[in-house]
Amino acid sequence: MKRRTFLSVLMLLLAVCHIASSQDLKLNDQEYFETQGFNVLVYNNLFTGGFNDEKTAGIELIHHGVRTAQGGAVRLSNTPEQWDLVPSIPTRKVNNASNSIESVLRYDDFDFESRVVVTAKGRGVEISVYLDQPVPTELEGSAGFNLEFLPSQYWAKTYLMDERINRFPRYVVGNTVTRPNTEKLKQYKGYETYDDRGTGEFIDVLPLETGRTLLLAPDEPERMVKITSRYADLMLFDGRVLAQNGWFVVRSLLPAGKTGKVLTWTVEPNAINNWVREPNIGFSQVGYLPSQEKVSVIELDKKAKPLEKASIHKIGEDGKTTEVFNGKIEPWGDYYKYHYVKFNFSSVNTPGIYYIMYGDTKTNNFIINKSVYDKITDATSDIWIPIHMNHMFVKEGYRVWHGEPFKDGYLQAPPNTDHFDLHEQGPTTDTEYEALELIPGLNVGGFFDAGDFDIETHSNISVVQNFVQTWESFKPLRDQTFVDQEARHVVLHRPDGTPDILQFIEHGTLNLVAQAEIIGHMAQTLSNSVLYNYHHLGDAASLTDGLPYNAELGPYEIAADGESSGVKDDMWAFTSRNPSLDLRAATVFAAASRALKGYNDDLSERALTQSKRLLKEATELLASQPQDSTGREWASVADISTNLQLYISTEEQQYKDKFQELLWPALDRNVSFVILTALHGIPHMEASYKERLRPYVVKYNEYIAGLEEDNPYGVPIGLGNWAGSGFIVNFGTTISFANEHFPDIIDANHAYKATDWLFGNHPYHNYSLVATVGAARPKEVFYGNNRADFSFIPGNVAPGILFRKPDHFENYDDWPFLWGQNEGTIGGNTSYLIFGSAFKNLVIKKRLDI
Ligand SMILES: [Ca+2]
Ligand SMILES: [Ca+2]
Ligand SMILES: [Ca+2]
């Protein structure tokens, strides 16, 4: 008896000690659970359905600095894909007194609500699901609580379900069953992510394991998590069976016919005692010019005590290293989750190979030399851009990047179509074509949008504009690409006597002119008609079967003559007329016409003809629209730019007047947003224009100075759902042009902040965000169309450092599938071409000054 009392007291004491432990989870003022080593976020990031369900929402774990789990919520399938239904979270209550967060999860389609309560318990959290009404009958066996773990952080590590030892598979090899489509719950807006090949069945995934206690990664303290479930079995699924971007899913079904507390999990991530995150030493992986300013921004755990000094070491030709500089660490301060200090080593200016030492942390090497930036656009122009040429066969060495896509052409999208890639066909076709009729001739030229294979007309317009601007401003004669439009054949690394940029202008113009000539105006997009081939991963030429759809044939049947098929996979042209888009096309046609003259005179003339026609028609259409309609909303930067381009092309006073009428108030509203367009106007306006612009350039310089206060990197950092490399490219371009026109106001050195950021001086890690580009440590995985291979397409610029609410920046370099941080777009990468060209121009000028 006595002994039992003693034990009870001891246990109580232990429990008290445990409660007092400094590593217990606490709700912080950012409204998430925190302890050193891990954070539990509870609906700080919400699901939004359809396009935005991209594994960045729900209950999330940030484990020793890496967001390793997300998607914690009541879900309706074993391994939910993008476009599966997601719950809305109408209420979320943070209760500091009880150390808990309570949220209501709701599925409108089934009038189904649950309450998820997450409570800190010692070193972990308890997650409970409450129901006021039982699970609706149609969701019995489907509604369950899921939490998803990142495969790249768990594969090849061990796990134990109850006592059974196992290993997370490096590649998905799992068991599946097929079930009748009648049992498949509807997907977002009724879309279907799969092609059932006429079977009437869908694939469901079977669990890898089932039990009550799951221990993940006991062999890796940074990733070890223990999950126990009190009332229901835990099942472990491999989400990669259905979709390469799937995660490992831990799931318990909600019981049928029950109310009250129906499910309780305890989730206990391991926190390493006294863990402190390694410093992230930012620097340019491409290297530095001898004369330029060189500042490393070092990102530190708030628990880390900043060091006094850091040092630079030179690697000699004999392979030996010598310390050549040591200097003081300057404090900057806190920015979101971390603390930042700076290390200025500008005085190191002898060409050579170097690395940085900060305490025990040694970086990889970098170069100081006059030539480091010479090739920063070559991978983009020689490789990334030609690989994205649509309707062509593209070869590099022994490798075929893709065959000729979309030989089946494009069908007229039916009226009233709401498209999954955020387009719509309005109530009429606005063409002479019937719904689903082939519009012949559109499968020519154009560039793939991004990691997908559609032609976004507005992006393709910007792309041609970017190419023409690069050509007219910098005249790059680089020729490393062979383009045969007749044979639809492209070969990389094979010169053909024509500057590549002219061939890119031609290729973009061919598709845009075809749209104008054949449809009569611009299409919004040429895109997929079915969701199951929109997420295509593989050769673009195999996205469709290359045969026009023939309604006379049965499903999946091929005609006897081999010329058509019964596969409904053809792409659609979305043709609702938008006069603002036509007006933008008119400007780019005028620009392309100038550039193509003397190279492809026929296309040059056709572009000019369409420019004049669309300009007239679009102007009339816009004038006939009611004043308050969106068509007359001239206020955006695109409209300011359009009027400038129209003036450059036509020299008509009305466009010059309109340009200035829109420009000055826009500059008053937001100088940093519009200044680049204003700078582009200088060569075309009278001298007084430049003088009127001067005070705005002074204001822009104040904005640049203000960025030094805003964040440790001194660049505009985006906090949106698509990370901000694009802003930084634009920032660098603006500085380059502003310095050219106003060298007395804008210091050229600010442009290095843009290259520094892009090439490695940024939060989370220090890898270059541009694929390859002469960097010592470029990022290795991107969301390109080869993402399923965990690879990259050289020259791609990743959106980069993605912000997750409330205070986390990330960029996965072992997991390509999050587009907001790892994709590259044809618009963004051709903007990088302009930035790189303008920047190199600046550097060459400075080099002459040296
Ligand atoms: Ca797209
Ligand atoms: Ca060429
Ligand atoms: Ca087809």
Coordinates of all heavy atoms in Angstrom, one line a residue, residues 436-498:
L436 N -17.4 23.3 -80.0 CA -16.6 22.0 -80.2 C -16.2 21.8 -81.7 O -15.7 20.7 -82.0 CB -17.3 20.8 -79.6 CG -17.6 20.8 -78.1 CD1 -18.3 19.5 -77.7 CD2 -16.3 21.0 -77.4
E437 N -16.4 22.8 -82.5 CA -15.9 22.7 -83.9 C -14.4 23.0 -83.9 O -13.9 23.8 -83.2 CB -16.7 23.7 -84.8 CG -16.4 23.6 -86.3 CD -17.1 24.6 -87.1 OE1 -18.0 25.3 -86.5 OE2 -16.7 24.8 -88.3
L438 N -13.7 22.3 -84.8 CA -12.2 22.5 -84.9 C -12.0 23.9 -85.5 O -12.6 24.3 -86.5 CB -11.6 21.4 -85.8 CG -10.1 21.6 -86.1 CD1 -9.3 21.4 -84.9 CD2 -9.6 20.8 -87.2
I439 N -11.1 24.7 -84.9 CA -10.7 26.0 -85.4 C -9.4 25.7 -86.0 O -8.4 25.7 -85.3 CB -10.6 27.1 -84.3 CG1 -11.9 27.2 -83.6 CG2 -10.3 28.4 -85.0 CD1 -11.9 28.2 -82.4
P440 N -9.3 25.5 -87.3 CA -8.0 25.0 -87.9 C -7.0 26.1 -87.9 O -7.3 27.3 -88.0 CB -8.4 24.7 -89.4 CG -9.7 25.3 -89.6 CD -10.4 25.7 -88.3
G441 N -5.7 25.7 -87.7 CA -4.6 26.7 -87.9 C -4.1 27.3 -86.6 O -3.1 28.1 -86.7
L442 N -4.7 27.0 -85.5 CA -4.2 27.7 -84.3 C -3.0 27.0 -83.7 O -2.3 27.5 -82.8 CB -5.3 27.7 -83.2 CG -6.5 28.6 -83.5 CD1 -7.5 28.5 -82.3 CD2 -6.1 30.1 -83.7
N443 N -2.7 25.7 -84.1 CA -1.6 25.0 -83.6 C -0.3 25.4 -84.3 O 0.3 24.6 -85.0 CB -1.8 23.5 -83.5 CG -2.2 22.9 -84.9 OD1 -2.7 23.7 -85.7 ND2 -2.0 21.6 -85.1
V444 N 0.1 26.6 -84.0 CA 1.4 27.1 -84.6 C 2.0 28.1 -83.6 O 1.3 28.9 -83.0 CB 1.1 27.7 -86.0 CG1 0.2 28.9 -85.9 CG2 2.5 28.2 -86.7
G445 N 3.3 28.0 -83.4 CA 4.0 29.0 -82.6 C 3.5 29.1 -81.2 O 2.8 28.2 -80.7
G446 N 4.0 30.1 -80.4 CA 3.5 30.3 -79.1 C 4.4 29.5 -78.1 O 5.2 28.6 -78.4
F447 N 4.3 29.9 -76.8 CA 5.1 29.3 -75.7 C 4.2 28.7 -74.6 O 3.2 29.3 -74.3 CB 6.0 30.4 -75.1 CG 7.0 30.9 -76.1 CD1 6.8 32.0 -76.9 CD2 8.3 30.3 -76.2 CE1 7.7 32.5 -77.8 CE2 9.2 30.8 -77.0 CZ 9.0 31.9 -77.9
F448 N 4.6 27.6 -74.1 CA 3.9 27.0 -73.0 C 3.9 28.0 -71.8 O 4.9 28.7 -71.6 CB 4.7 25.8 -72.4 CG 4.8 24.6 -73.4 CD1 6.0 23.9 -73.4 CD2 3.7 24.2 -74.2 CE1 6.1 22.8 -74.3 CE2 3.9 23.2 -75.1 CZ 5.1 22.4 -75.1
D449 N 2.8 28.1 -71.1 CA 2.6 29.1 -70.1 C 3.7 29.0 -69.0 O 4.3 29.9 -68.6 CB 1.2 28.9 -69.5 CG 0.9 29.9 -68.4 OD1 1.4 31.0 -68.5 OD2 0.2 29.5 -67.5
A450 N 3.9 27.7 -68.4 CA 4.7 27.6 -67.2 C 5.0 26.1 -67.0 O 5.5 25.5 -67.9 CB 3.9 28.2 -66.0
G451 N 4.7 25.6 -65.9 CA 4.8 24.1 -65.6 C 3.7 23.4 -66.3 O 3.7 22.2 -66.3
D452 N 2.8 24.1 -66.9 CA 1.7 23.5 -67.7 C 1.9 23.8 -69.2 O 2.9 24.5 -69.5 CB 0.3 23.9 -67.2 CG 0.1 25.4 -67.0 OD1 1.0 26.1 -67.3 OD2 -1.0 25.8 -66.5
F453 N 1.0 23.4 -70.0 CA 1.3 23.4 -71.5 C 0.3 24.3 -72.3 O 0.2 24.1 -73.5 CB 1.2 22.0 -72.0 CG 2.2 21.0 -71.3 CD1 1.8 20.3 -70.2 CD2 3.5 20.9 -71.7 CE1 2.6 19.4 -69.6 CE2 4.4 20.1 -71.1 CZ 3.9 19.3 -70.0
D454 N -0.5 25.1 -71.6 CA -1.4 25.9 -72.3 C -0.8 27.2 -72.9 O 0.3 27.5 -72.5 CB -2.6 26.3 -71.4 CG -2.1 27.0 -70.1 OD1 -1.0 26.6 -69.6 OD2 -2.8 27.8 -69.5
I455 N -1.5 27.9 -73.8 CA -1.0 29.2 -74.2 C -1.9 30.2 -73.6 O -3.1 30.3 -73.9 CB -1.1 29.3 -75.8 CG1 0.0 28.4 -76.3 CG2 -1.0 30.7 -76.2 CD1 0.3 28.6 -77.8
E456 N -1.3 31.0 -72.7 CA -2.1 32.1 -72.1 C -1.8 33.3 -73.0 O -0.6 33.7 -73.1 CB -1.5 32.4 -70.7 CG -1.7 31.3 -69.6 CD -3.1 31.4 -69.0 OE1 -3.9 32.2 -69.4 OE2 -3.3 30.6 -68.0
T457 N -2.8 33.8 -73.6 CA -2.6 34.9 -74.6 C -1.9 36.1 -74.0 O -1.0 36.6 -74.5 CB -3.9 35.2 -75.3 OG1 -4.4 34.0 -75.9 CG2 -3.7 36.3 -76.4
H458 N -2.5 36.5 -72.8 CA -1.9 37.8 -72.2 C -0.4 37.6 -71.9 O 0.4 38.5 -72.1 CB -2.7 38.2 -71.1 CG -2.6 37.4 -69.8 ND1 -1.7 37.6 -68.8 CD2 -3.3 36.3 -69.5 CE1 -1.8 36.7 -67.9 NE2 -2.7 35.9 -68.3
S459 N 0.0 36.3 -71.4 CA 1.4 36.1 -71.1 C 2.2 36.1 -72.4 O 3.3 36.6 -72.5 CB 1.6 34.7 -70.5 OG 1.0 34.7 -69.2
N460 N 1.7 35.4 -73.4 CA 2.4 35.4 -74.7 C 2.6 36.8 -75.3 O 3.6 37.1 -75.9 CB 1.7 34.4 -75.7 CG 2.3 33.0 -75.5 OD1 3.1 32.6 -76.3 ND2 1.8 32.3 -74.5
I461 N 1.6 37.7 -75.1 CA 1.8 39.0 -75.5 C 2.9 39.7 -74.8 O 3.8 40.3 -75.4 CB 0.5 39.8 -75.3 CG1 -0.6 39.4 -76.3 CG2 0.7 41.3 -75.4 CD1 -2.0 40.0 -76.1
S462 N 3.0 39.5 -73.4 CA 4.1 40.1 -72.6 C 5.4 39.5 -73.1 O 6.4 40.2 -73.1 CB 3.9 39.8 -71.2 OG 2.7 40.1 -70.7
V463 N 5.4 38.2 -73.4 CA 6.6 37.5 -73.8 C 7.2 38.2 -75.1 O 8.4 38.5 -75.1 CB 6.4 36.0 -74.0 CG1 7.4 35.4 -74.7 CG2 6.2 35.4 -72.6
V464 N 6.4 38.3 -76.1 CA 6.8 38.9 -77.3 C 7.3 40.4 -77.0 O 8.3 40.8 -77.5 CB 5.8 38.9 -78.4 CG1 6.2 39.6 -79.7 CG2 5.5 37.4 -78.7
Q465 N 6.5 41.1 -76.2 CA 6.9 42.4 -75.8 C 8.3 42.4 -75.1 O 9.1 43.3 -75.5 CB 5.9 43.0 -74.8 CG 5.9 44.5 -74.6 CD 5.2 45.3 -75.7 OE1 4.0 45.1 -75.9 NE2 6.0 46.1 -76.4
N466 N 8.5 41.5 -74.2 CA 9.8 41.4 -73.5 C 10.9 41.1 -74.5 O 12.0 41.7 -74.4 CB 9.8 40.3 -72.5 CG 8.9 40.7 -71.3 OD1 8.6 41.8 -71.1 ND2 8.6 39.7 -70.4
F467 N 10.7 40.2 -75.5 CA 11.7 39.9 -76.5 C 12.0 41.1 -77.3 O 13.2 41.4 -77.6 CB 11.2 38.7 -77.4 CG 11.3 37.4 -76.7 CD1 10.2 36.4 -77.0 CD2 12.3 37.0 -75.9 CE1 10.3 35.2 -76.4 CE2 12.3 35.7 -75.3 CZ 11.3 34.8 -75.6
V468 N 11.0 41.8 -77.8 CA 11.2 42.9 -78.7 C 12.0 44.0 -77.9 O 12.9 44.6 -78.4 CB 9.9 43.5 -79.2 CG1 10.1 44.8 -80.0 CG2 9.2 42.5 -80.1
Q469 N 11.6 44.2 -76.6 CA 12.3 45.2 -75.8 C 13.7 44.8 -75.6 O 14.6 45.7 -75.7 CB 11.6 45.3 -74.4 CG 12.0 46.6 -73.8 CD 11.6 46.7 -72.3 OE1 10.9 45.8 -71.8 NE2 12.1 47.7 -71.6
T470 N 14.0 43.5 -75.4 CA 15.4 43.1 -75.2 C 16.1 43.3 -76.5 O 17.3 43.8 -76.5 CB 15.4 41.6 -74.9 OG1 14.6 41.4 -73.7 CG2 16.8 41.1 -74.6
W471 N 15.5 43.0 -77.7 CA 16.1 43.2 -79.0 C 16.4 44.6 -79.3 O 17.5 45.0 -79.6 CB 15.2 42.6 -80.0 CG 15.6 42.8 -81.5 CD1 15.0 43.5 -82.4 CD2 16.8 42.2 -82.1 NE1 15.7 43.5 -83.6 CE2 16.8 42.7 -83.4 CE3 17.8 41.4 -81.7 CZ2 17.8 42.3 -84.4 CZ3 18.8 41.0 -82.6 CH2 18.8 41.5 -83.9
E472 N 15.4 45.5 -79.0 CA 15.6 46.9 -79.4 C 16.5 47.6 -78.5 O 17.2 48.5 -78.9 CB 14.2 47.6 -79.5 CG 13.4 47.0 -80.7 CD 12.1 47.7 -81.0 OE1 11.6 48.4 -80.0 OE2 11.6 47.7 -82.1
S473 N 16.5 47.2 -77.2 CA 17.4 47.9 -76.2 C 18.8 47.4 -76.2 O 19.7 48.1 -76.0 CB 16.9 47.7 -74.8 OG 15.5 48.1 -74.7
F474 N 19.0 46.1 -76.4 CA 20.3 45.5 -76.2 C 20.9 44.7 -77.5 O 22.0 44.3 -77.4 CB 20.3 44.6 -75.0 CG 19.7 45.2 -73.8 CD1 18.5 44.9 -73.4 CD2 20.4 46.2 -73.1 CE1 17.9 45.5 -72.2 CE2 19.9 46.8 -72.0 CZ 18.6 46.5 -71.6
K475 N 20.1 44.5 -78.5 CA 20.5 43.8 -79.7 C 21.3 42.6 -79.5 O 22.4 42.4 -80.0 CB 21.3 44.8 -80.6 CG 20.5 45.7 -81.5 CD 20.0 45.1 -82.8 CE 19.1 45.9 -83.6 NZ 18.0 46.6 -83.0
P476 N 20.9 41.6 -78.7 CA 21.7 40.4 -78.5 C 21.7 39.6 -79.7 O 20.7 39.2 -80.3 CB 21.0 39.7 -77.3 CG 19.5 40.2 -77.4 CD 19.6 41.5 -77.9
L477 N 22.9 39.3 -80.2 CA 23.0 38.5 -81.5 C 23.3 37.0 -81.2 O 23.6 36.3 -82.1 CB 24.2 39.1 -82.3 CG 24.0 40.5 -82.7 CD1 25.2 41.1 -83.4 CD2 22.8 40.7 -83.6
R478 N 23.1 36.6 -79.9 CA 23.4 35.3 -79.5 C 22.7 34.3 -80.4 O 21.4 34.4 -80.6 CB 23.1 35.1 -78.1 CG 23.6 33.8 -77.5 CD 23.5 33.8 -76.0 NE 23.9 32.5 -75.5 CZ 25.2 32.1 -75.3 NH1 26.1 33.0 -75.6 NH2 25.5 30.9 -74.9
D479 N 23.4 33.3 -80.9 CA 22.8 32.3 -81.8 C 23.3 30.9 -81.3 O 24.4 30.5 -81.6 CB 23.2 32.6 -83.2 CG 22.8 31.4 -84.2 OD1 21.8 30.7 -83.8 OD2 23.4 31.3 -85.3
Q480 N 22.4 30.2 -80.5 CA 22.8 28.9 -80.0 C 21.6 27.9 -80.3 O 21.6 26.8 -79.8 CB 23.1 28.9 -78.5 CG 24.5 29.5 -78.2 CD 25.6 28.7 -78.8 OE1 25.6 27.5 -78.6 NE2 26.5 29.3 -79.5
T481 N 20.6 28.4 -81.0 CA 19.4 27.6 -81.2 C 19.1 27.5 -82.7 O 19.1 28.5 -83.4 CB 18.2 28.2 -80.4 OG1 18.6 28.4 -79.1 CG2 17.1 27.2 -80.4
F482 N 18.8 26.3 -83.1 CA 18.4 26.0 -84.5 C 16.9 25.9 -84.5 O 16.3 25.1 -83.8 CB 19.1 24.7 -84.9 CG 18.6 24.1 -86.2 CD1 19.3 24.4 -87.4 CD2 17.5 23.3 -86.3 CE1 18.9 23.8 -88.6 CE2 17.1 22.8 -87.5 CZ 17.8 23.0 -88.7
V483 N 16.3 26.7 -85.3 CA 14.8 26.7 -85.4 C 14.4 26.5 -86.9 O 14.8 27.4 -87.7 CB 14.2 28.0 -84.9 CG1 12.7 28.0 -84.9 CG2 14.7 28.2 -83.4
D484 N 13.7 25.5 -87.2 CA 13.2 25.3 -88.5 C 11.6 25.3 -88.4 O 11.0 24.3 -88.0 CB 13.7 23.9 -89.1 CG 13.2 23.7 -90.5 OD1 12.2 24.3 -90.9 OD2 13.7 22.7 -91.1
Q485 N 11.0 26.4 -88.7 CA 9.6 26.6 -88.6 C 8.8 25.6 -89.6 O 7.8 25.1 -89.2 CB 9.1 28.0 -88.8 CG 9.4 28.9 -87.7 CD 8.5 28.6 -86.4 OE1 7.5 27.9 -86.5 NE2 8.9 29.2 -85.3
E486 N 9.4 25.5 -90.8 CA 8.8 24.6 -91.8 C 8.6 23.2 -91.3 O 7.6 22.6 -91.3 CB 9.7 24.6 -93.0 CG 9.1 24.0 -94.2 CD 8.4 25.0 -95.1 OE1 8.4 26.2 -94.8 OE2 7.8 24.6 -96.1
A487 N 9.7 22.6 -90.7 CA 9.7 21.3 -90.2 C 9.3 21.2 -88.8 O 9.2 20.1 -88.2 CB 11.1 20.7 -90.4
R488 N 9.1 22.3 -88.1 CA 8.7 22.4 -86.7 C 9.7 21.7 -85.9 O 9.4 20.8 -85.0 CB 7.3 21.8 -86.5 CG 6.2 22.5 -87.4 CD 4.8 22.2 -86.9 NE 3.9 23.2 -87.5 CZ 2.8 23.5 -87.0 NH1 2.4 23.1 -85.9 NH2 2.0 24.4 -87.6
H489 N 10.9 22.0 -86.1 CA 12.0 21.3 -85.4 C 13.0 22.3 -84.8 O 13.4 23.3 -85.4 CB 12.8 20.5 -86.5 CG 13.6 19.4 -86.0 ND1 13.1 18.1 -85.9 CD2 14.9 19.4 -85.5 CE1 14.1 17.3 -85.4 NE2 15.1 18.1 -85.1
V490 N 13.3 22.1 -83.5 CA 14.2 22.9 -82.7 C 15.4 22.1 -82.2 O 15.1 21.0 -81.7 CB 13.5 23.6 -81.6 CG1 14.5 24.4 -80.7 CG2 12.4 24.5 -82.1
V491 N 16.6 22.6 -82.3 CA 17.7 21.9 -81.7 C 18.5 22.9 -80.9 O 18.9 23.9 -81.4 CB 18.7 21.3 -82.8 CG1 19.8 20.5 -82.2 CG2 17.9 20.4 -83.8
L492 N 18.7 22.5 -79.6 CA 19.5 23.4 -78.7 C 21.0 23.2 -79.0 O 21.4 22.2 -79.5 CB 19.2 23.0 -77.3 CG 17.8 22.9 -76.8 CD1 17.7 22.7 -75.3 CD2 16.9 24.0 -77.3
H493 N 21.8 24.2 -78.7 CA 23.2 24.3 -78.8 C 23.6 24.1 -80.3 O 24.7 23.5 -80.6 CB 23.9 23.2 -78.0 CG 23.4 23.1 -76.6 ND1 23.5 24.2 -75.7 CD2 22.7 22.1 -75.9 CE1 23.0 23.8 -74.5 NE2 22.5 22.6 -74.6
R494 N 22.8 24.4 -81.3 CA 23.2 24.3 -82.7 C 22.9 25.7 -83.4 O 21.7 26.0 -83.7 CB 22.4 23.2 -83.4 CG 22.6 23.2 -84.9 CD 21.7 22.2 -85.6 NE 22.2 20.8 -85.4 CZ 23.1 20.2 -86.2 NH1 23.6 20.9 -87.2 NH2 23.5 19.0 -86.0
P495 N 23.9 26.5 -83.6 CA 23.7 27.8 -84.3 C 23.1 27.6 -85.7 O 23.4 26.6 -86.3 CB 25.1 28.4 -84.3 CG 25.9 27.7 -83.3 CD 25.3 26.3 -83.3
D496 N 22.3 28.5 -86.1 CA 21.8 28.4 -87.5 C 21.9 29.7 -88.3 O 21.2 29.9 -89.3 CB 20.3 28.0 -87.5 CG 19.4 28.9 -86.7 OD1 19.9 30.0 -86.3 OD2 18.2 28.7 -86.6
G497 N 22.7 30.7 -87.7 CA 22.9 31.9 -88.5 C 21.9 33.0 -88.2 O 22.1 34.1 -88.7
T498 N 20.9 32.7 -87.4 CA 19.9 33.8 -87.1 C 19.9 34.0 -85.6 O 19.9 33.0 -84.8 CB 18.5 33.3 -87.5 OG1 18.5 33.0 -88.9 CG2 17.5 34.5 -87.2

